Amino acid sequence: MNSSRSRWSVLIAYASVAAASQTLWLTYAPVTTVAADHYGVSIGAIGWLANIEPLLYVLLALPAGLLLDRSFRSSLAAGAILSAIGAIVRLLGDDYSWALIGQLIAAVAQPLLLSAIAKVAREYLTEKDRPAGIALGACSLTAGQLLAIVLGAALSAPDQIPDLELIGAVFAAVSAIVLVLCLLRPSPYPSGRVAAGLESLRVVWSDRAIRIMCGVVFLGFGIYIAETTWLQALLEPAGITASSAGVLLVIMLVAGTIGAATLPTTIARRNAQPAMLFASVIVGIVAALALAVAPGFGVGVAVLAVSGFLNVAALPVILELAERRAGAAGGAVASLVWLAGNAGGLVVALSVQALVDTPAAAFTLLAVFGLLAVPLLVALRKRIA
Protein backbone atom coordinates (compact mmCIF):
# COMPACT_ATOMS: atom_id res chain seq x y z
CA MET A 1 0.00 0.00 0.00
CA ASN A 2 1.21 3.51 -0.76
CA SER A 3 1.47 5.83 2.25
CA SER A 4 -0.04 8.59 0.08
CA ARG A 5 -3.35 6.80 0.44
CA SER A 6 -3.40 7.42 4.18
CA ARG A 7 -6.23 9.79 5.02
CA TRP A 8 -4.41 12.09 7.44
CA SER A 9 -7.23 14.65 7.44
CA VAL A 10 -9.32 12.28 9.57
CA LEU A 11 -6.44 11.75 12.01
CA ILE A 12 -5.93 15.51 12.36
CA ALA A 13 -9.64 16.08 12.92
CA TYR A 14 -9.71 13.29 15.50
CA ALA A 15 -6.63 14.70 17.26
CA SER A 16 -8.39 18.07 17.53
CA VAL A 17 -11.47 16.47 19.12
CA ALA A 18 -9.29 14.44 21.50
CA ALA A 19 -7.35 17.55 22.53
CA ALA A 20 -10.62 19.46 23.09
CA SER A 21 -11.90 16.65 25.33
CA GLN A 22 -8.83 16.99 27.56
CA THR A 23 -9.17 20.76 27.70
CA LEU A 24 -12.80 20.33 28.80
CA TRP A 25 -11.78 17.74 31.40
CA LEU A 26 -9.23 20.05 33.06
CA THR A 27 -10.99 23.39 32.53
CA TYR A 28 -11.38 24.04 36.26
CA ALA A 29 -8.31 22.21 37.59
CA PRO A 30 -5.84 25.15 37.20
CA VAL A 31 -8.36 27.58 38.76
CA THR A 32 -9.89 25.38 41.46
CA THR A 33 -10.03 27.99 44.23
CA VAL A 34 -11.08 30.75 41.84
CA ALA A 35 -13.88 28.62 40.39
CA ALA A 36 -15.02 27.74 43.92
CA ASP A 37 -15.32 31.45 44.74
CA HIS A 38 -17.06 32.16 41.43
CA TYR A 39 -19.71 29.48 41.91
CA GLY A 40 -19.94 29.78 45.68
CA VAL A 41 -19.14 26.11 46.32
CA SER A 42 -16.40 24.18 48.09
CA ILE A 43 -13.02 23.34 46.56
CA GLY A 44 -14.02 19.68 46.78
CA ALA A 45 -17.08 20.36 44.61
CA ILE A 46 -14.86 21.91 41.93
CA GLY A 47 -12.54 18.92 42.18
CA TRP A 48 -15.45 16.66 41.21
CA LEU A 49 -15.77 18.53 37.91
CA ALA A 50 -12.52 16.80 36.92
CA ASN A 51 -12.81 13.59 38.95
CA ILE A 52 -16.09 12.45 37.38
CA GLU A 53 -14.33 11.77 34.06
CA PRO A 54 -11.89 9.04 35.21
CA LEU A 55 -14.60 7.52 37.40
CA LEU A 56 -17.08 7.28 34.53
CA TYR A 57 -14.31 6.05 32.26
CA VAL A 58 -13.78 3.01 34.46
CA LEU A 59 -17.51 2.25 34.22
CA LEU A 60 -17.99 2.95 30.51
CA ALA A 61 -14.67 1.91 28.92
CA LEU A 62 -15.64 -1.64 27.97
CA PRO A 63 -19.09 -0.80 26.53
CA ALA A 64 -17.48 2.02 24.57
CA GLY A 65 -14.89 -0.35 23.11
CA LEU A 66 -17.60 -2.77 22.01
CA LEU A 67 -19.57 0.04 20.36
CA LEU A 68 -16.51 1.23 18.46
CA ASP A 69 -15.83 -2.30 17.16
CA ARG A 70 -19.45 -2.82 16.07
CA SER A 71 -20.14 0.62 14.56
CA PHE A 72 -16.94 2.63 14.46
CA ARG A 73 -17.75 5.80 12.54
CA SER A 74 -21.15 6.43 14.10
CA SER A 75 -19.85 5.73 17.62
CA LEU A 76 -16.87 8.04 17.18
CA ALA A 77 -19.10 10.76 15.74
CA ALA A 78 -21.47 10.35 18.71
CA GLY A 79 -18.54 10.81 21.10
CA ALA A 80 -17.45 14.02 19.36
CA ILE A 81 -20.99 15.40 19.36
CA LEU A 82 -21.59 14.51 23.02
CA SER A 83 -18.34 16.20 24.02
CA ALA A 84 -19.37 19.38 22.20
CA ILE A 85 -22.86 19.26 23.76
CA GLY A 86 -21.32 18.96 27.20
CA ALA A 87 -19.16 22.02 26.56
CA ILE A 88 -22.14 24.03 25.28
CA VAL A 89 -24.34 23.03 28.25
CA ARG A 90 -21.83 24.71 30.57
CA LEU A 91 -22.72 28.01 28.86
CA LEU A 92 -26.47 27.75 29.58
CA GLY A 93 -26.13 29.32 33.00
CA ASP A 94 -23.43 30.85 35.17
CA ASP A 95 -24.11 28.29 37.87
CA TYR A 96 -22.32 25.25 39.31
CA SER A 97 -25.18 22.93 38.39
CA TRP A 98 -24.78 23.72 34.67
CA ALA A 99 -21.03 23.19 34.93
CA LEU A 100 -21.60 19.81 36.57
CA ILE A 101 -24.21 18.67 34.00
CA GLY A 102 -21.92 19.74 31.16
CA GLN A 103 -18.97 17.86 32.65
CA LEU A 104 -21.11 14.74 33.09
CA ILE A 105 -22.13 14.78 29.42
CA ALA A 106 -18.53 15.31 28.31
CA ALA A 107 -17.44 12.51 30.64
CA VAL A 108 -19.81 10.06 28.92
CA ALA A 109 -18.17 10.96 25.60
CA GLN A 110 -14.62 10.46 26.85
CA PRO A 111 -14.46 6.63 26.59
CA LEU A 112 -15.71 6.72 22.99
CA LEU A 113 -13.04 9.25 22.07
CA LEU A 114 -10.00 7.87 23.87
CA SER A 115 -10.69 4.22 23.05
CA ALA A 116 -10.69 5.14 19.35
CA ILE A 117 -7.03 6.23 19.18
CA ALA A 118 -5.64 2.98 17.76
CA LYS A 119 -8.71 2.08 15.72
CA VAL A 120 -8.93 5.40 13.87
CA ALA A 121 -5.29 4.93 12.80
CA ARG A 122 -6.05 1.39 11.66
CA GLU A 123 -9.08 2.41 9.61
CA TYR A 124 -7.66 5.52 7.92
CA LEU A 125 -3.90 4.96 7.60
CA THR A 126 -1.75 2.44 5.81
CA GLU A 127 0.06 -0.06 8.00
CA LYS A 128 3.32 1.84 7.71
CA ASP A 129 1.74 5.09 8.94
CA ARG A 130 -0.26 3.66 11.84
CA PRO A 131 2.40 4.11 14.57
CA ALA A 132 2.66 7.80 13.60
CA GLY A 133 -1.12 8.12 13.65
CA ILE A 134 -1.40 6.60 17.12
CA ALA A 135 1.40 8.89 18.29
CA LEU A 136 -0.48 11.91 16.91
CA GLY A 137 -3.61 10.88 18.79
CA ALA A 138 -1.70 10.34 22.03
CA CYS A 139 0.27 13.58 21.93
CA SER A 140 -2.96 15.49 21.23
CA LEU A 141 -4.16 14.41 24.67
CA THR A 142 -1.22 15.99 26.50
CA ALA A 143 -1.47 19.02 24.20
CA GLY A 144 -5.09 19.45 25.28
CA GLN A 145 -4.12 19.11 28.95
CA LEU A 146 -1.36 21.67 28.46
CA LEU A 147 -3.79 24.06 26.78
CA ALA A 148 -6.12 23.81 29.79
CA ILE A 149 -3.28 24.73 32.15
CA VAL A 150 -2.14 27.67 29.99
CA LEU A 151 -5.70 28.99 29.62
CA GLY A 152 -6.22 28.66 33.36
CA ALA A 153 -3.10 30.68 34.04
CA ALA A 154 -4.12 33.37 31.54
CA LEU A 155 -7.77 33.61 32.63
CA SER A 156 -7.55 33.16 36.38
CA ALA A 157 -9.89 35.87 37.67
CA PRO A 158 -13.31 34.84 39.05
CA ASP A 159 -15.17 36.78 36.33
CA GLN A 160 -13.15 35.00 33.62
CA ILE A 161 -14.54 31.51 34.33
CA PRO A 162 -17.26 32.00 31.66
CA ASP A 163 -14.51 32.95 29.19
CA LEU A 164 -12.75 29.63 29.86
CA GLU A 165 -16.02 27.79 29.25
CA LEU A 166 -16.69 29.71 26.02
CA ILE A 167 -13.25 28.90 24.60
CA GLY A 168 -13.74 25.23 25.46
CA ALA A 169 -17.16 25.18 23.80
CA VAL A 170 -15.93 26.77 20.57
CA PHE A 171 -12.93 24.41 20.42
CA ALA A 172 -15.07 21.32 21.04
CA ALA A 173 -17.91 22.33 18.68
CA VAL A 174 -15.71 23.27 15.72
CA SER A 175 -13.58 20.14 16.15
CA ALA A 176 -16.67 17.92 16.35
CA ILE A 177 -18.20 19.42 13.17
CA VAL A 178 -14.98 18.88 11.20
CA LEU A 179 -14.60 15.28 12.42
CA VAL A 180 -18.23 14.38 11.69
CA LEU A 181 -17.85 15.71 8.16
CA CYS A 182 -14.65 13.67 7.71
CA LEU A 183 -16.41 10.52 8.95
CA LEU A 184 -19.18 10.76 6.34
CA ARG A 185 -16.91 9.00 3.86
CA PRO A 186 -16.27 5.27 4.45
CA SER A 187 -12.88 4.37 5.87
CA PRO A 188 -10.39 3.06 3.27
CA TYR A 189 -9.17 0.22 5.52
CA PRO A 190 -12.19 -1.13 7.43
CA SER A 191 -11.25 -3.49 10.24
CA GLY A 192 -13.71 -6.19 9.24
CA ARG A 193 -16.00 -8.29 11.38
CA VAL A 194 -15.37 -8.88 15.06
CA ALA A 195 -16.87 -11.35 17.51
CA ALA A 196 -20.23 -10.23 18.87
CA GLY A 197 -20.63 -8.55 22.24
CA LEU A 198 -18.48 -9.70 25.14
CA GLU A 199 -16.97 -12.44 22.99
CA SER A 200 -14.56 -9.93 21.43
CA LEU A 201 -13.40 -8.91 24.90
CA ARG A 202 -12.87 -12.55 25.84
CA VAL A 203 -10.84 -13.12 22.69
CA VAL A 204 -8.66 -10.08 23.36
CA TRP A 205 -8.25 -10.89 27.06
CA SER A 206 -7.18 -14.45 26.23
CA ASP A 207 -3.94 -13.03 24.79
CA ARG A 208 -1.48 -13.08 27.71
CA ALA A 209 0.65 -10.37 26.11
CA ILE A 210 -2.32 -8.00 26.17
CA ARG A 211 -3.00 -8.84 29.82
CA ILE A 212 0.63 -8.02 30.61
CA MET A 213 0.36 -4.72 28.71
CA CYS A 214 -2.68 -3.81 30.81
CA GLY A 215 -0.64 -4.48 33.95
CA VAL A 216 2.17 -2.25 32.71
CA VAL A 217 -0.28 0.55 31.87
CA PHE A 218 -2.01 0.13 35.26
CA LEU A 219 1.29 0.87 37.01
CA GLY A 220 2.82 3.34 34.56
CA PHE A 221 -0.24 5.50 33.93
CA GLY A 222 -1.10 5.26 37.62
CA ILE A 223 2.28 6.76 38.53
CA TYR A 224 1.82 9.53 35.95
CA ILE A 225 -1.63 10.48 37.28
CA ALA A 226 -0.42 10.38 40.89
CA GLU A 227 2.51 12.68 40.06
CA THR A 228 0.33 15.22 38.25
CA THR A 229 -2.27 15.11 41.04
CA TRP A 230 0.00 15.41 44.08
CA LEU A 231 3.19 17.06 42.80
CA GLN A 232 2.52 20.47 44.35
CA ALA A 233 1.49 19.05 47.73
CA LEU A 234 4.50 16.71 47.86
CA LEU A 235 7.00 19.45 46.96
CA GLU A 236 5.51 22.18 49.16
CA PRO A 237 7.50 21.14 52.28
CA ALA A 238 10.69 21.61 50.23
CA GLY A 239 9.73 25.24 49.59
CA ILE A 240 8.27 24.77 46.12
CA THR A 241 5.43 27.25 45.63
CA ALA A 242 2.23 26.48 43.79
CA SER A 243 3.36 28.55 40.79
CA SER A 244 6.72 26.75 40.68
CA ALA A 245 4.98 23.38 40.88
CA GLY A 246 2.78 24.52 38.00
CA VAL A 247 5.90 25.27 35.97
CA LEU A 248 7.22 21.77 36.70
CA LEU A 249 3.92 20.27 35.57
CA VAL A 250 4.02 22.29 32.34
CA ILE A 251 7.60 21.12 31.70
CA MET A 252 6.54 17.50 32.18
CA LEU A 253 3.56 17.88 29.84
CA VAL A 254 5.55 19.69 27.14
CA ALA A 255 8.27 17.04 27.30
CA GLY A 256 5.60 14.32 27.20
CA THR A 257 3.91 15.88 24.16
CA ILE A 258 7.24 16.02 22.33
CA GLY A 259 8.04 12.43 23.30
CA ALA A 260 4.64 11.11 22.20
CA ALA A 261 4.96 12.94 18.88
CA THR A 262 8.49 11.82 18.02
CA LEU A 263 9.39 8.52 19.68
CA PRO A 264 6.71 5.92 18.81
CA THR A 265 7.29 5.88 15.05
CA THR A 266 11.04 5.35 15.43
CA ILE A 267 10.49 2.74 18.12
CA ALA A 268 8.02 0.80 15.94
CA ARG A 269 10.33 0.95 12.92
CA ARG A 270 13.17 -0.57 14.95
CA ASN A 271 10.96 -3.03 16.87
CA ALA A 272 12.44 -1.60 20.06
CA GLN A 273 9.23 -1.43 22.09
CA PRO A 274 10.41 -3.59 25.03
CA ALA A 275 13.65 -1.63 25.39
CA MET A 276 11.84 1.71 25.27
CA LEU A 277 9.22 0.64 27.83
CA PHE A 278 11.94 -0.68 30.12
CA ALA A 279 13.84 2.61 29.83
CA SER A 280 10.72 4.62 30.68
CA VAL A 281 10.13 2.53 33.82
CA ILE A 282 13.73 2.82 35.00
CA VAL A 283 13.79 6.58 34.42
CA GLY A 284 10.50 6.89 36.32
CA ILE A 285 11.93 4.97 39.27
CA VAL A 286 15.07 7.13 39.32
CA ALA A 287 12.97 10.31 39.09
CA ALA A 288 10.79 9.30 42.05
CA LEU A 289 13.80 8.36 44.19
CA ALA A 290 15.60 11.60 43.29
CA LEU A 291 12.62 13.65 44.44
CA ALA A 292 12.40 11.55 47.62
CA VAL A 293 16.05 12.19 48.49
CA ALA A 294 16.62 15.70 47.14
CA PRO A 295 13.32 17.49 46.47
CA GLY A 296 13.81 20.85 44.81
CA PHE A 297 13.00 22.88 41.72
CA GLY A 298 16.23 22.12 39.88
CA VAL A 299 15.98 18.40 40.52
CA GLY A 300 12.32 18.51 39.54
CA VAL A 301 13.08 20.18 36.19
CA ALA A 302 15.74 17.59 35.35
CA VAL A 303 13.93 14.41 36.31
CA LEU A 304 10.39 15.38 35.30
CA ALA A 305 11.45 16.54 31.83
CA VAL A 306 13.17 13.24 31.10
CA SER A 307 10.54 11.02 32.72
CA GLY A 308 7.70 12.96 31.06
CA PHE A 309 9.38 12.59 27.65
CA LEU A 310 9.59 8.80 27.99
CA ASN A 311 6.55 7.97 30.11
CA VAL A 312 3.95 9.78 28.00
CA ALA A 313 5.46 8.26 24.84
CA ALA A 314 5.10 4.78 26.36
CA LEU A 315 1.30 4.93 26.05
CA PRO A 316 1.12 5.15 22.22
CA VAL A 317 3.85 2.49 22.02
CA ILE A 318 1.69 0.08 24.03
CA LEU A 319 -1.48 1.06 22.15
CA GLU A 320 0.24 0.30 18.83
CA LEU A 321 1.46 -3.07 20.12
CA ALA A 322 -1.98 -3.95 21.45
CA GLU A 323 -3.75 -2.84 18.25
CA ARG A 324 -1.41 -4.94 16.16
CA ARG A 325 -2.22 -8.06 18.19
CA ALA A 326 -5.96 -7.40 18.46
CA GLY A 327 -6.57 -6.70 14.77
CA ALA A 328 -10.22 -5.90 14.10
CA ALA A 329 -10.99 -5.73 17.84
CA GLY A 330 -9.04 -2.48 18.16
CA GLY A 331 -11.81 -0.75 20.10
CA ALA A 332 -12.03 -3.54 22.66
CA VAL A 333 -8.28 -3.71 23.25
CA ALA A 334 -7.93 0.08 23.49
CA SER A 335 -10.76 0.21 26.02
CA LEU A 336 -9.01 -2.44 28.11
CA VAL A 337 -5.74 -0.51 28.02
CA TRP A 338 -7.42 2.77 28.97
CA LEU A 339 -9.47 1.05 31.65
CA ALA A 340 -6.27 -0.34 33.18
CA GLY A 341 -4.65 3.10 33.07
CA ASN A 342 -7.54 4.92 34.71
CA ALA A 343 -7.95 2.20 37.35
CA GLY A 344 -4.23 2.44 38.05
CA GLY A 345 -4.56 6.20 38.37
CA LEU A 346 -7.22 5.82 41.04
CA VAL A 347 -5.30 3.14 42.99
CA VAL A 348 -1.86 4.77 42.85
CA ALA A 349 -3.16 8.30 43.47
CA LEU A 350 -5.16 7.17 46.51
CA SER A 351 -2.13 5.26 47.82
CA VAL A 352 0.03 8.37 47.51
CA GLN A 353 -2.69 10.48 49.12
CA ALA A 354 -2.33 8.39 52.27
CA LEU A 355 1.34 9.48 52.46
CA VAL A 356 0.96 13.07 51.29
CA ASP A 357 2.22 14.39 54.65
CA THR A 358 5.45 12.40 54.27
CA PRO A 359 6.71 13.30 50.78
CA ALA A 360 9.82 11.11 50.90
CA ALA A 361 7.71 8.05 51.65
CA ALA A 362 5.20 9.01 48.93
CA PHE A 363 7.88 9.37 46.25
CA THR A 364 9.47 6.11 47.41
CA LEU A 365 6.10 4.40 47.05
CA LEU A 366 5.93 5.63 43.44
CA ALA A 367 9.34 4.05 42.86
CA VAL A 368 8.03 0.77 44.32
CA PHE A 369 5.09 0.82 41.92
CA GLY A 370 7.61 1.30 39.13
CA LEU A 371 9.64 -1.69 40.29
CA LEU A 372 6.51 -3.85 40.12
CA ALA A 373 6.40 -3.18 36.36
CA VAL A 374 9.88 -4.63 35.74
CA PRO A 375 8.93 -8.35 35.87
CA LEU A 376 5.90 -7.59 33.69
CA LEU A 377 8.15 -6.03 31.05
CA VAL A 378 10.48 -9.02 31.16
CA ALA A 379 7.49 -11.32 30.55
CA LEU A 380 6.19 -9.03 27.78
CA ARG A 381 9.52 -9.12 25.98
CA LYS A 382 9.38 -12.92 25.85
CA ARG A 383 5.83 -12.83 24.49
CA ILE A 384 6.43 -10.38 21.63
CA ALA A 385 9.99 -11.38 20.72
Side-chain angles (χ1 to χ4, degrees):
M1 295 178 182
N2 192 319
S3 62
S4 63
R5 292 182 61 194
S6 290
R7 202 175 294 171
W8 282 102
S9 58
V10 181
L11 266 293
I12 294 170
Y14 167 76
S16 180
V17 169
S21 75
Q22 299 303 286
T23 303
L24 296 180
W25 169 35
L26 296 180
T27 297
Y28 307 98
V31 291
T32 300
T33 55
V34 174
D37 290 340
H38 177 78
Y39 286 124
V41 297
S42 67
I43 290 176
I46 297 299
W48 274 108
L49 295 178
N51 292 337
I52 55 177
E53 295 227 4
L55 287 174
L56 281 181
Y57 199 101
V58 170
L59 296 175
L60 299 177
L62 298 183
L66 295 176
L67 283 173
L68 288 166
D69 282 337
R70 295 295 298 276
S71 185
F72 176 64
R73 288 186 296 148
S74 59
S75 297
L76 180 56
I81 293 169
L82 273 175
S83 185
I85 290 174
I88 293 170
V89 164
R90 301 189 307 182
L91 302 177
L92 297 181
D94 192 15
D95 183 81
Y96 176 78
S97 60
W98 286 113
L100 180 60
I101 294 170
Q103 291 296 95
L104 279 168
I105 296 171
V108 172
Q110 188 96 300
L112 289 169
L113 297 177
L114 300 194
S115 296
I117 285 181
K119 198 168 180 71
V120 71
R122 182 181 182 85
E123 298 241 344
Y124 289 94
L125 301 182
T126 62
E127 186 174 356
K128 186 185 74 170
D129 288 338
R130 286 169 192 166
I134 294 172
L136 173 63
C139 73
S140 72
L141 302 181
T142 52
Q145 295 165 14
L146 182 61
L147 178 60
I149 293 172
V150 171
L151 287 173
L155 302 171
S156 57
D159 61 350
Q160 291 178 313
I161 297 298
D163 296 330
L164 286 174
E165 295 168 339
L166 177 61
I167 292 171
V170 172
F171 187 14
V174 172
S175 299
I177 291 170
V178 173
L179 179 58
V180 169
L181 291 175
C182 288
L183 292 173
L184 291 177
R185 293 175 59 193
S187 58
Y189 310 108
S191 299
R193 297 180 62 184
V194 296
L198 294 177
E199 182 61 26
S200 64
L201 285 174
R202 283 194 287 268
V203 170
V204 169
W205 190 249
S206 67
D207 187 336
R208 188 160 184 260
I210 289 177
R211 296 201 301 271
I212 294 171
M213 290 180 209
C214 289
V216 173
V217 172
F218 178 92
L219 294 167
F221 201 67
I223 293 170
Y224 172 76
I225 290 179
E227 284 180 340
T228 55
T229 302
W230 298 111
L231 187 65
Q232 190 271 325
L234 294 176
L235 292 179
E236 185 177 32
I240 304 298
T241 63
S243 59
S244 295
V247 171
L248 291 176
L249 184 58
V250 168
I251 289 172
M252 186 168 71
L253 286 173
V254 170
T257 303
I258 295 171
T262 59
L263 278 181
T265 303
T266 301
I267 295 300
R269 188 183 306 124
R270 298 180 179 180
N271 290 318
Q273 295 93 337
M276 184 269 176
L277 294 173
F278 189 80
S280 70
V281 167
I282 296 301
V283 167
I285 292 171
V286 172
L289 292 176
L291 290 172
V293 174
F297 186 78
V299 173
V301 169
V303 300
L304 292 175
V306 178
S307 65
F309 180 79
L310 288 173
N311 291 345
V312 175
L315 181 61
V317 168
I318 286 185
L319 283 170
E320 191 271 332
L321 270 178
E323 183 274 334
R324 194 191 309 168
R325 296 185 72 92
V333 76
S335 69
L336 282 171
V337 170
W338 280 109
L339 174 59
N342 280 275
L346 292 173
V347 171
V348 178
L350 288 174
S351 300
V352 171
Q353 181 179 358
L355 298 173
V356 73
D357 294 327
T358 53
F363 282 121
T364 301
L365 179 61
L366 289 176
V368 171
F369 278 118
L371 284 171
L372 293 176
V374 172
L376 293 176
L377 289 173
V378 172
L380 180 61
R381 182 170 188 172
K382 294 178 180 177
R383 287 278 166 177
I384 65 176

